[in-house]
Amino acid sequence: MTVLHDPDGTDFSLVCDGCGTTIDRLGANLHNWELAWSLVRRHGWIGERSRQGPHGCPKCTTRSAYAVDG
């Protein structure tokens, strides 16, 4: 799973399945997954639109494991 939720469920982070790069506190700042995903995609993240992933950061976009972009 590439979206990690805080124990209280009010925040979440996005983790790259390739290198482990993490963007913390997305939920606290953007409040929902759809908004967070649309923003990080503009900054080079790729992968499945779902929270389960896989997701890849801009450093890992050349890896074939992330060929699906949703």
Side-chain angles (χ1 to χ4, degrees):
M1 180 162 109
T2 58
V3 173
L4 303 175
H5 293 272
D6 281 354
D8 67 2
T10 60
D11 199 7
F12 57 89
S13 301
L14 175 63
V15 179
C16 174
D17 290 301
C19 68
T21 294
T22 304
I23 302 176
D24 293 319
R25 303 199 41 83
L26 285 170
N29 294 301
L30 298 173
H31 308 293
N32 70 63
W33 169 249
E34 291 298 323
L35 181 58
W37 182 241
S38 68
L39 179 66
V40 298
R41 283 202 57 209
R42 291 183 203 152
H43 292 278
W45 282 73
I46 62 170
E48 293 288 335
R49 182 179 201 98
S50 73
R51 294 176 184 217
Q52 288 77 28
H55 301 114
C57 73
K59 294 184 289 185
C60 295
T61 57
T62 59
R63 295 183 184 183
S64 62
Y66 304 108
V68 176
D69 190 42

